[in-house]
């Protein structure tokens, strides 16, 4: 018979437990700690030939962990970049792709210009201002005149969408003159914009889609707000 089992004390076993807080930080936690240990072991291999073999094996394991990404373009390139990142750029192997550097990975993108914060006429939006700037850059001619008319009609439509009120063409021309810094002047023009009724009808098309359903619900209710139930006559002889 074998030796009798000797019960160990909890105070003696607890010293052998390993907690995540005491372990090294995982650079890409999605791959798990075992793959991180494989990369750490490959980094310590002395010969480059053996390191290349180990790196190829690790790339295969990483690909098997993400089979749904195999059809993604440059998937292998992404895996090679990740293996260098997980090795803290210490893995010296031959890569079929350019080897990334720590500076390249931590490079911050350029700051994007923030759009205008407080436009005077918010109901027009910033896109109208961009269109006006484009019109200002064009040479005088039929194309510019057509673009200015399109901008003015769009301004009138935006005005009616937010203000829910009629507006004269003269008001739109004044706003256009102000937003273009006096470069687009239609104040003395005989040009007429689209009819207010047509623009209002266009704006209401989307909001009227649910009206028939609401009317049907109203018809099924009586004056007390309760639904009208029809008697089932299937049991009549």
């Amino acid at each position: 018979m074998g030796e009798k089992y000797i019960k160990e004390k909890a105070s003696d076993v607890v010293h052998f437990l390993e907690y995540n807080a005491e372990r090294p930080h995982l650079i890409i936690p999605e791959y798990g700690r075992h793959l991180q240990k494989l990369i750490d072991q490959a980094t310590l291999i002395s010969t480059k030939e053996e390191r290349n073999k180990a790196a190829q094996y690790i790339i295969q394991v990483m690909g098997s962990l993400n089979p749904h990404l195999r059809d993604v373009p440059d998937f292998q390139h992404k895996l090679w970049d990740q293996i260098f990142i997980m090795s803290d750029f210490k893995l010296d192997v031959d890569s079929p792709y350019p080897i990334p550097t720590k500076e390249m990975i931590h490079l911050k993108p350029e700051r994007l210009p923030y759009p205008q914060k407080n436009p005077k006429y918010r109901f027009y939006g910033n896109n109208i201002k961009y269109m006006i700037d484009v019109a200002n850059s064009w040479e005088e001619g039929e194309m510019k005149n057509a673009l200015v008319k399109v901008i003015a009609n769009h301004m009138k439509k935006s005005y009616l969408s937010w203000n829910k009120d009629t507006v004269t063409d003269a008001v739109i021309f004044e706003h256009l003159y102000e937003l273009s810094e006096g470069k687009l002047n239609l104040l003395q023009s005989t040009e007429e914009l689209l009819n207010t009724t047509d623009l209002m009808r266009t704006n209401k098309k989307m909001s009227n889609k649910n009206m028939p359903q609401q009317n049907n619900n109203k018809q099924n209710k009586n004056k007390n707000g309760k639904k009208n139930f029809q008697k089932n006559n299937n049991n009549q002889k």
Side-chain angles (χ1 to χ4, degrees), residues 78-123:
K78 180 179 180 181
L79 294 181
W80 279 98
D81 287 347
Q82 289 178 341
I83 194 175
F84 287 112
I85 294 172
M86 294 175 68
S87 68
D88 196 18
F89 305 96
K90 298 177 181 178
L91 184 62
D92 183 16
V93 294
D94 297 328
S95 172
Y97 305 98
I99 299 177
T101 60
K102 187 177 295 185
E103 293 76 14
M104 183 187 304
I105 297 298
H106 297 289
L107 183 64
K108 294 183 179 180
E110 296 181 0
R111 188 178 182 87
L112 293 175
Y114 199 75
Q116 187 179 0
K117 295 182 179 180
N118 297 313
K120 185 175 182 179
Y121 305 109
R122 294 188 177 184
F123 43 84

Side-chain angles (χ1 to χ4, degrees), residues 103-216:
E103 293 76 14
M104 183 187 304
I105 297 298
H106 297 289
L107 183 64
K108 294 183 179 180
E110 296 181 0
R111 188 178 182 87
L112 293 175
Y114 199 75
Q116 187 179 0
K117 295 182 179 180
N118 297 313
K120 185 175 182 179
Y121 305 109
R122 294 188 177 184
F123 43 84
Y124 291 137
N126 288 324
N127 289 334
I128 287 290
K129 188 64 174 66
Y130 298 149
M131 293 171 67
I132 291 174
D133 294 339
V134 171
N136 287 334
S137 63
W138 284 15
E139 296 181 357
E140 297 294 333
E142 295 182 0
M143 292 293 293
K144 182 175 181 178
N145 295 334
L147 178 59
V148 172
K149 187 175 181 179
V150 170
I151 294 173
N153 280 307
H154 192 71
M155 290 174 63
K156 188 174 182 179
K157 182 179 178 181
S158 300
Y159 188 101
L160 295 172
S161 298
W162 289 97
N163 292 282
K164 304 298 182 183
D165 198 1
T166 58
V167 60
T168 61
D169 294 350
V171 174
I172 300 299
F173 293 157
E174 289 178 2
H175 292 173
L176 178 61
Y177 181 81
E178 183 179 354
L179 293 175
S180 65
E181 299 178 356
K183 296 179 181 180
L184 302 179
N185 188 358
L186 297 178
L187 296 177
Q188 306 299 329
S189 175
T190 58
E191 196 76 42
E192 292 184 2
L193 301 179
L194 295 177
N195 192 359
T196 301
T197 305
D198 296 336
L199 291 174
M200 291 292 291
R201 187 183 298 113
T202 303
N203 292 337
K204 289 181 179 179
K205 280 185 178 179
M206 295 302 296
S207 60
N208 290 337
K209 284 187 175 180
N210 297 327
M211 290 299 294
Q213 183 178 0
Q214 295 176 359
N215 293 333
N216 292 335

